[in-house]
Amino acid sequence: MTTETDIGRLYENNVREWARKSRDDARLVPADLSVRRISPVCGSAVTLDICHNQEVITALGYQARACTLGMASTAVVVAVAPGCSFSAVHEIGEKLSYLLAGEDVRFPEEWRALEMFIAARLFKTRHGSILLPFQVLEDAAEQLK
């Protein structure tokens, strides 16, 4: 059973600050590829506009229609993923899913903001929204094969 304290931890200041960063759309035009995904559990939607140089993400734009957690996750991805390979971002997404499942995970320094989602472990219905931008980039990588 979750408590009011658990809910307070879920939406701590750091999560809300990251979410604010993706509140206003920042579409990337032109983009090499635009990919949208909707979470079937909660209806959150994220569209990422992607520029890439083969395997490396060079720029991201976004439109996020998600809860605070999905917005925060999208903001982290948009801030950190450019310059990373699709496969490296996939690995970070896997680590995030392990974190949400209760495992102890160490993120590389540039991805440490994702540790803010530790409190979301108790809220399985929110995991889909948190993982959504990573799933969008996985879909993009599949389209590029």
Side-chain angles (χ1 to χ4, degrees):
M1 184 168 102
T2 56
T3 66
E4 205 168 301
T5 301
D6 294 329
I7 294 169
R9 285 188 194 121
L10 183 64
Y11 294 103
E12 62 149 318
N13 285 337
N14 195 29
V15 171
R16 291 193 313 266
E17 287 172 20
W18 274 103
R20 274 189 212 96
K21 294 177 183 184
S22 66
R23 189 153 288 133
D24 296 324
D25 297 346
R27 301 303 301 264
L28 186 61
V29 179
D32 297 325
L33 182 65
S34 291
V35 180
R36 178 180 174 88
R37 191 180 249 227
I38 300 171
S39 170
V41 174
C42 65
S44 290
V46 171
T47 302
L48 292 179
D49 302 315
I50 305 156
C51 286
H52 64 94
N53 183 358
Q54 297 177 17
E55 170 67 15
V56 176
I57 299 163
T58 57
L60 289 174
Y62 63 88
Q63 179 185 55
R65 301 294 183 264
C67 67
T68 300
L69 299 169
M71 300 283 278
S73 180
T74 298
V76 172
V77 168
V78 168
V80 182
C84 296
S85 67
F86 284 97
S87 59
V89 174
H90 172 78
E91 289 177 21
I92 296 298
E94 283 186 331
K95 282 186 177 206
L96 179 57
S97 66
Y98 298 149
L99 174 99
L100 293 170
E103 293 184 32
D104 289 330
V105 174
R106 303 274 309 155
F107 291 102
E109 182 64 35
E110 62 274 15
W111 290 98
R112 287 257 165 87
L114 295 173
E115 292 173 0
M116 69 182 147
F117 296 117
I118 288 173
R121 289 174 170 168
L122 298 173
F123 300 89
K124 292 191 186 304
T125 58
R126 310 315 302 155
H127 294 184
S129 185
I130 294 166
L131 293 168
L132 202 54
F134 291 95
Q135 294 166 342
V136 170
L137 288 175
E138 285 179 27
D139 292 348
E142 281 299 312
Q143 288 183 31
L144 295 172
K145 286 185 178 178

